[in-house]
Amino acid sequence: MKIAFIINQTHKEKASFTTTLLAYKALLRGHSVYYIGLADFVYLDQDKIAAHARAVHQIDGIADTDQLIDKLRSTAKEKISLRELDIIWLRFDPVLDMINRPWAASMGLQFAQLAQNLGVRVLNNPRALVDAENKLYLENFPEEIRPNTIVTRNYDDVKQFFEEQNNKIILKPLKGSGGKNVFLVNEQESKNLKQIVEVICRDGYLIAQEYLPDAQYGDIRFFLLNGKPLLVNGKYASVHRVQSAGELRSNIHQGAKAQVAEISPALLQMVQKVADKLMQDGMYFVGLDIIGDKIMEINVFSPGALLQASELNGEDYATAIIKDLEETTIKK
């Protein structure tokens, strides 16, 4: 198959990224991979949509993900028709381009829809991703599985919510990723509440959520594939991310440690409550961030930490995903 990964920019990709791992495993199974940046699309007419892509067709000479990244960066772009592709996989982070290239994410989704109209399989469904471009997407799911939340740009709204939540809340950008500008505000920090609100709202809306006591123990990144838990040899693709001392955020690149996650029946029952809608929305590959009995975030653009899940559990989840693609993609 010909599998294209839509990324922000090739020079920002890393060997440790889930995207790189998936591309590498696809090459190992004999597929061609293409990297297409958000600035690389070309519209010629309704039936002729193209892109300037970096392509790798063979695994020869590529021993690991580091060498794959080197190969991609040294490969000249070639113009390809999107109609020729079997799969277009949207693996970009809209937040990365929000300031310097505010047009990038929306154009990526628009071109992906055009490709979908031509019959190309696009993951995740770009039409649903338009509605899931920020954390408000979580509010479409059952109330019992999500924390108490408000979305606003008004300080008085936040102050009232703060008081209603016993003077302890989490504040973060509505459209954010990677743990940037995430704050825990308690009674001792309340004197800084107005300043924190102003800082977050410089870039748009903020989201305020109730503080969950279980957050002190970190969170679980749990992966779903086509609406079902990603399971290989009885082990769920998941990571227990434990933040370092004095740190609020559980993001791996913010210093959190990855540990084996204990997956309880209660957690699986909670996951089942979001699975059907995710399937209906065409969300093929999803990462859930879970604290206690609540889902804090649903990551549908470029969920990461699959490499850590594989290393901790000793299972090759990326190859399982590529095999599923082989079985479920209609050959042209």
Side-chain angles (χ1 to χ4, degrees):
M1 293 191 297
K2 295 180 179 180
I3 306 175
F5 295 91
I6 311 302
I7 44 97
N8 294 81
Q9 293 173 288
T10 304
H11 72 269
K12 292 185 177 180
E13 295 297 299
K14 298 180 180 179
S16 60
F17 283 4
T18 295
T19 305
T20 318
L21 180 63
L22 291 166
Y24 181 70
K25 296 298 184 177
L27 279 170
L28 281 175
R29 293 187 61 80
H31 305 298
S32 295
V33 300
Y34 300 78
Y35 269 43
I36 299 173
L38 292 174
D40 291 331
F41 292 104
V42 184
Y43 178 89
L44 300 171
D45 65 39
Q46 187 174 343
D47 296 320
K48 295 180 181 177
I49 314 298
H52 298 277
R54 301 179 192 272
V56 179
H57 302 290
Q58 295 181 336
I59 194 66
D60 295 347
I62 302 174
D64 53 31
T65 52
D66 284 291
Q67 291 186 8
L68 173 56
I69 287 294
D70 290 341
K71 176 70 173 178
L72 284 163
R73 288 175 178 167
S74 63
T75 299
K77 293 180 181 179
E78 60 180 84
K79 192 173 179 180
I80 63 165
S81 167
L82 297 189
R83 192 190 285 273
E84 298 175 8
L85 300 170
D86 296 292
I87 295 170
I88 293 177
W89 201 335
L90 304 177
R91 289 286 306 173
F92 61 89
D93 183 351
V95 178
L96 293 181
D97 288 311
M98 190 168 63
I99 303 300
N100 295 324
R101 301 195 309 169
W103 47 266
S106 60
M107 290 306 300
L109 291 174
Q110 197 162 1
F111 273 103
Q113 291 180 53
L114 291 172
Q116 196 175 52
N117 292 340
L118 296 176
V120 181
R121 186 181 186 187
V122 181
L123 310 170
N124 290 332
N125 179 8
R127 287 173 172 80
L129 288 178
V130 171
D131 296 327
E133 207 173 346
N134 60 53
K135 295 176 175 60
L136 199 54
Y137 181 60
L138 179 61
E139 300 303 300
N140 293 298
F141 294 85
E143 185 176 358
E144 67 267 19
I145 59 89
R146 49 185 169 83
N148 292 325
T149 298
I150 67 165
V151 175
T152 185
R153 297 190 77 249
N154 184 283
Y155 167 71
D156 291 333
D157 294 336
V158 177
K159 188 173 184 296
Q160 180 179 345
F161 184 73
F162 178 69
E163 294 167 353
E164 292 171 350
Q165 298 300 320
N166 299 316
N167 299 340
K168 198 169 189 179
I169 59 174
I170 299 295
L171 293 176
K172 53 190 174 182
L174 178 63
K175 191 173 181 180
S177 66
K180 183 179 179 181
N181 285 340
V182 178
F183 298 90
L184 167 63
V185 183
N186 54 26
E187 199 160 354
Q188 291 73 34
E189 294 294 326
S190 60
K191 61 184 180 296
N192 298 320
L193 180 60
K194 188 173 181 64
Q195 182 180 359
I196 293 171
V197 170
E198 289 174 352
V199 167
I200 297 175
C201 289
R202 287 173 188 167
D203 296 327
Y205 278 83
L206 66 71
I207 183 169
Q209 293 178 324
E210 67 172 307
Y211 175 76
L212 301 177
D214 285 340
Q216 63 185 307
Y217 307 116
D219 69 5
I220 292 176
R221 167 62 58 87
F222 188 89
F223 292 98
L224 296 177
L225 188 69
N226 209 19
K228 298 179 181 179
L230 179 51
L231 184 68
V232 176
N233 294 325
K235 298 179 182 179
Y236 292 99
S238 57
V239 178
H240 183 190
R241 304 182 299 185
V242 182
Q243 61 268 53
S244 54
E247 177 59 71
L248 167 68
R249 298 164 295 184
S250 298
N251 306 83
I252 299 296
H253 69 274
Q254 297 288 357
K257 293 183 179 179
Q259 300 179 359
V260 174
E262 295 185 12
I263 306 303
S264 67
L267 184 148
L268 293 175
Q269 289 175 5
M270 178 174 56
V271 168
Q272 187 56 47
K273 293 180 179 180
V274 304
D276 287 345
K277 178 170 174 54
L278 289 171
M279 276 192 68
Q280 291 168 8
D281 288 352
M283 300 300 188
Y284 176 75
F285 184 54
V286 175
L288 304 178
D289 292 346
I290 299 170
I291 295 177
D293 62 352
K294 303 291 184 182
I295 296 175
M296 300 301 291
E297 291 188 22
I298 298 179
N299 302 273
V300 294
F301 272 90
S302 56
L306 191 67
L307 176 62
Q308 288 81 4
S310 298
E311 292 175 343
L312 287 167
N313 295 320
E315 300 296 344
D316 189 352
Y317 297 113
T319 294
I321 294 172
I322 301 302
K323 287 181 177 179
D324 184 81
L325 288 177
E326 293 168 354
E327 295 169 0
T328 56
T329 302
I330 300 173
K331 296 293 188 293
K332 296 179 181 179

